[in-house]
Each structure stands twice: as C-alpha cells, then as structure tokens.
C-alpha cells in the first residue's frame, strides 16, 4: 500500500502499476478487481502491453490466501483471534501479557525497550527487580499467541537483550490494514484514480469500528497511533461524503457525516 502511494505521488505510471498489482494480492476479490482493472486501463492508454498482460494474468497466478494464524483487532477494544476463533479472556492468564501486546502494536513493530515496558507495566517499582517478571509476561504472551508451539518462539514477538517488538509481518492487525487502505485510497484520489480509490476507502470506512484501543483511553503510549488512525478515518469519510454528495446520494452523505461527528 505504501509503495503504491509513493509511485502515485511521484508520477511513474509503470512503477505505480507494478506496486498496485503487488498490493492487490493482499485485497479481497472485489477490491483487487478494481485495482487490476484500473492498472489494465492505464497501461492500455500508454501502450504498455507487457504490464497489461501481467494484469490480465493476475487472477490465474494469484495464490490462495488462507487466513493468517493470528489476527489482532484493536479498533475499539482488543480482540485476539487464532485461526479465526476468538481467544476468550481467561486464556490470557495475565493482564500484563495483554498490555505488552497493546504497547507493541501501538509502536507499529518498532522495538520497545525493556526498561520502558517495566516502567509502564509496574510504575513506581525499581526496574532492577522487574526483569524476571517481564520475562514471564513476554513468555505468557507468546504462549497465548501460539499455544501449540507451531512456530519458532520469535515468530510473533521478537526479543533481544534490550528490546521487545511485534513482528507485524506475521500478525494480521486491523489498524495496519485500515491505514493501508485509507492512505492508499487517498493517494489514488489525489492521482485522479477515483474508481480504484473508492473500494479501498469504503472498506476502510466500514472497518473502522472504533478508535484504537478505546479501553486504554488515557494511556500515553496509545495516543499517537490513535490520533493517526482517527485522522485517516476522518479524511476517508469526508472524501466519501463528498463523492456521495456529487452523486446525489443524500442518505450516504448523511450516514458519513454522522459517523464523522461520532468520531
């Protein structure tokens, strides 16, 4: 998604088309079809036959995409799913393990120092006495994410002597998918590619079930991503309301504006 947005901004149509097809592999069929058809049309306009052929064969070569083993929903309240099944609250066994996952996701895969985690999870206590408690909490988190030990211990949560981080390449996280859809859709709109942008913006808007980790409203570490996601939502919803107004769909305009007021 970010690559497509970059190509759209700098105006390289062939590089942009390649990034779009790569991104389309991550989408459901309806959204992917809109992207692929847009690529084929634009490549036809500039006579790039080899990229048109690549678009034509997209579905034939597209691999099946089974759901990932771990999905985390953060828009609203935290919900963890393993193989599509919600993990019940008692399975966590540790509130600290849940809090570590939240903090790691709020940092979007960037390393978080062990010192920061200890100070945040056990405020006011001497960090020199907390290393073992943090180790236990991280181990508990790993066991919740992968209770049957199907994967390497570093698969979802990576650690070293100083830091802990979430490996987002192995986790499905709703706020990350939302930001990809919203930002790519907005970039496509700026490039004048409305037909391709709208399916992504519609999916982003409908998938925004609430602000990032609403249950941690006063946690400082959650604020930057919460504000980033909310701003992306408001921009996407405003553009959809504008498009609906231009199309004369007053019911849709009203729905989008009420959702904007809600957030």
């Amino acid at each position: 998604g970010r690559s497509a947005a970059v190509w759209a901004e700098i105006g390289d149509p062939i590089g942009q088309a390649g990034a779009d097809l790569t991104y389309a592999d991550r989408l459901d069929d309806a959204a992917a079809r809109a992207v692929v058809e847009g690529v084929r049309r634009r490549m036809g306009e500039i006579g790039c036959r080899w990229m048109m052929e690549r678009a034509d064969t997209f579905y034939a070569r597209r691999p099946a995409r089974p759901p990932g083993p771990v999905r985390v929903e953060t828009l609203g309240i935290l919900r963890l799913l393993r193989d599509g099944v919600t993990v019940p609250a008692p399975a966590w066994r540790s509130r600290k393990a849940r809090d570590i996952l939240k903090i790691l996701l709020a940092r979007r895969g960037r390393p978080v120092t062990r010192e920061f985690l200890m100070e945040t999870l056990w405020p006011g206590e001497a960090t020199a006495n907390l290393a073992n408690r943090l180790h236990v909490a991280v181990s508990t988190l790993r066991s919740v994410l992968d209770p049957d030990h199907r994967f390497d211990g570093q698969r979802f949560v990576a650690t070293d002597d100083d830091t802990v981080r979430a490996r987002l390449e192995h986790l499905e996280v709703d706020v990350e998918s939302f930001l990809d859809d919203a930002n790519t859709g907005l970039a496509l709109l700026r490039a004048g590619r409305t037909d391709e942008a709208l399916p992504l913006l519609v999916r982003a808007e409908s998938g925004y079930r609430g602000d990032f980790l609403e249950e941690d409203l006063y946690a400082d570490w959650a604020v930057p991503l919460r504000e980033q996601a909310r701003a992306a939502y408001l921009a996407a919803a405003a553009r959809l309301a504008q498009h609906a107004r231009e199309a004369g769909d007053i019911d849709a305009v009203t729905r989008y504006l009420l959702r904007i007021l809600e957030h």
Side-chain angles (χ1 to χ4, degrees):
R2 295 184 181 91
S3 296
V6 170
W7 288 118
E9 293 290 351
I10 66 176
D12 182 329
I14 297 176
Q16 180 180 333
D20 285 344
L21 292 178
T22 299
Y23 179 62
D25 262 335
R26 301 172 51 192
L27 305 178
D28 58 34
D29 283 345
R33 186 173 299 279
V35 172
V36 172
E37 289 177 354
V39 167
R40 195 184 191 288
R41 185 186 69 251
R42 297 195 316 277
M43 294 301 98
E45 291 172 353
I46 66 173
C48 185
R49 293 188 176 277
W50 68 270
M51 187 61 80
M52 289 176 65
E53 292 172 358
R54 182 176 168 190
D56 288 339
T57 60
F58 173 83
Y59 289 102
R61 64 177 175 77
R62 186 184 190 188
R65 297 186 61 81
V70 180
R71 173 177 171 81
V72 191
E73 296 181 352
T74 61
L75 294 173
I77 62 173
L78 183 76
R79 191 163 76 108
L80 175 67
L81 298 92
R82 291 193 305 252
D83 298 317
V85 178
T86 301
V87 174
W92 280 94
R93 306 192 309 278
S94 167
R95 181 175 179 177
K96 300 300 184 185
R98 281 174 57 93
D99 289 343
I100 290 172
L101 179 61
K102 292 176 182 180
I103 294 169
L104 298 183
L105 295 179
R107 292 296 296 269
R108 305 193 68 188
R110 297 188 298 274
V112 182
T113 65
R114 291 176 179 270
E115 183 177 7
F116 176 83
L117 289 172
M118 290 186 287
E119 291 176 349
T120 303
L121 296 171
W122 296 281
E125 299 190 36
T127 57
N129 303 323
L130 297 175
N132 186 63
R133 291 165 72 177
L134 178 61
H135 174 78
V136 171
V138 170
S139 296
T140 300
L141 172 58
R142 284 173 164 161
S143 70
V144 173
L145 296 174
D146 182 23
D148 298 325
H149 305 290
R150 292 186 292 171
F151 304 99
D152 176 82
Q154 299 270 334
R155 173 79 174 183
F156 301 114
V157 178
T159 59
D160 58 30
D161 291 341
D162 300 313
T163 66
V164 183
R165 67 179 178 90
R167 298 190 66 189
L168 297 185
E169 67 270 27
H170 299 308
L171 292 166
E172 293 184 9
V173 184
D174 62 348
V175 70
E176 296 293 337
S177 299
F178 161 79
L179 286 170
D180 268 352
D181 285 345
N183 291 333
T184 301
L186 291 168
L188 290 171
L189 272 185
R190 290 193 294 270
R193 296 162 57 186
T194 304
D195 291 345
E196 297 162 69
L198 288 177
L200 297 179
L201 294 178
V202 167
R203 186 169 64 179
E205 195 282 331
S206 63
Y208 195 82
R209 293 177 298 277
D211 288 337
F212 176 70
L213 294 178
E214 290 179 344
E215 60 194 354
D216 297 282
L217 188 60
Y218 301 106
D220 291 343
W221 46 262
V223 171
L225 182 53
R226 181 180 299 134
E227 292 185 347
Q228 181 180 355
R230 183 188 293 143
Y233 172 78
L234 295 175
R239 295 306 297 269
L240 288 171
Q242 178 184 349
H243 181 268
R245 183 174 67 249
E246 293 168 354
D249 188 346
I250 303 304
D251 289 341
V253 173
T254 302
R255 182 172 66 253
Y256 288 130
L257 293 181
L258 288 174
R259 287 267 284 166
I260 289 171
L261 288 174
E262 177 186 346
H263 292 288

